[in-house]
Amino acid sequence: MYLEIIREDITKMKVDAIVNPSNRSLLVGDLKSVSGQIYNAAGFDELNEATRIYSPIDWSVAIITPAFNLPSKYVIHVANPIWFDGKHNEIELLRKSYQNIFQCVLDQKLKSVAFPLLSAGTYGWPKDQALQIALSEIQAFIMHHEIKVYLLVYDKSVFELSKKLSDSVKDYIDQHYEEEELEFLCTISNFNELDDLLKKHDISFSDQLFKYIDEKKM
């Protein structure tokens, strides 16, 4: 099992596959977005032609194409759900996005994959909820499969969260697995505790985070 949370340009990742946070049409809108950077680095025309035959797809559907000029072997494209108000099945759709991506990983027998934090940018998701779902789905998968997973976060506050809580998660995992089964570099705290933390809405996520750090004497 292996999960690393890093701040890095996803187009530089030397992994079996990187994930492209796309839309139902699989078309790039903003060339400065993560998706736009992936298309430019891969070769816009080549990647556009490879995805065109699948368009349009439903929300949460994932498809896989060659990565062309990227250092990765493949690009997994997923139609990210947009955040409205949390009452339009958004949470289930985002969970399904991760699950469908991992199904592509299994189908292609991939050993490493790099994700951006899905839907946390132009799709308007609250970053704390996007992070909670990402960690929940990634954890569920890596517990049962031999794979290296990288979660790339561009927001500094989210990255600081991963660094500050890394030791706590290692302790939690060690209670359930033998040492030789583990290979964690940088992970998040006890997922059950983090779930409880993120369900509180009386103060901001940042305030909750630092309150949690103080309580745990980190």
Side-chain angles (χ1 to χ4, degrees):
M1 300 186 302
Y2 182 107
L3 166 62
E4 186 174 4
I5 300 174
I6 56 178
R7 295 183 77 195
E8 175 63 280
D9 181 349
I10 197 168
T11 66
K12 302 291 194 298
M13 296 297 294
K14 296 180 180 180
V15 291
D16 286 346
I18 64 171
V19 175
N20 173 32
S22 192
N23 49 52
R24 291 191 61 202
S25 66
L26 299 174
L27 296 176
V28 178
D30 183 1
L31 292 179
K32 295 182 180 179
S33 67
V34 173
S35 186
Q37 293 172 27
I38 290 172
Y39 269 75
N40 282 333
F44 190 93
D45 292 339
E46 294 94 328
L47 196 55
N48 188 56
E49 182 64 22
T51 57
R52 184 180 60 81
I53 60 174
Y54 297 100
S55 179
I57 60 176
D58 288 333
W59 296 116
S60 303
V61 168
I63 61 104
I64 190 166
T65 68
F68 299 104
N69 297 322
L70 288 162
S72 58
K73 298 176 183 177
Y74 300 98
V75 178
I76 300 174
H77 309 261
V78 63
N80 278 334
I82 298 171
W83 178 265
F84 294 104
D85 55 9
K87 300 176 182 178
H88 291 79
N89 204 33
E90 294 103 314
I91 292 175
E92 181 58 32
L93 286 171
L94 187 55
R95 288 191 180 279
K96 197 68 177 175
S97 295
Y98 283 96
Q99 293 164 12
N100 287 338
I101 290 165
F102 282 127
Q103 188 58 55
C104 287
V105 167
L106 290 176
D107 291 343
Q108 295 293 325
K109 297 180 173 58
L110 307 182
K111 296 300 182 182
S112 58
V113 59
F115 290 81
L117 187 57
L118 298 180
S119 290
T122 57
Y123 286 79
W125 270 71
K127 288 183 173 61
D128 56 346
Q129 293 195 42
L131 177 61
Q132 180 187 20
I133 292 171
L135 294 174
S136 174
E137 293 301 326
I138 292 171
Q139 181 205 24
F141 187 79
I142 66 175
M143 288 296 182
H144 302 286
H145 299 90
E146 291 292 330
I147 187 171
K148 293 182 178 181
V149 177
Y150 300 88
L151 180 62
L152 278 63
V153 292
Y154 297 94
D155 186 288
K156 188 174 181 180
S157 65
V158 178
F159 180 68
E160 289 301 317
L161 165 63
S162 69
K163 290 200 300 182
K164 290 180 183 295
L165 302 185
S166 60
D167 289 341
S168 180
V169 147
K170 183 67 161 59
D171 292 340
Y172 169 71
I173 297 297
D174 280 349
Q175 294 173 19
H176 300 82
Y177 294 88
E178 297 296 326
E179 182 64 31
E180 59 267 20
E181 295 180 303
L182 300 172
E183 189 178 15
F184 270 75
L185 293 186
C186 181
T187 52
I188 295 291
S189 179
N190 182 321
F191 290 89
N192 293 327
E193 292 181 4
L194 185 60
D195 281 350
D196 292 339
L197 172 69
L198 295 175
K199 288 174 184 175
K200 299 176 183 177
H201 298 292
D202 52 327
I203 58 178
S204 73
F205 174 69
S206 295
D207 289 339
Q208 283 284 5
L209 167 60
F210 289 112
K211 180 171 179 287
Y212 181 87
I213 292 169
D214 288 340
E215 289 173 351
K216 297 299 180 183
K217 298 186 176 0
M218 297 180 184

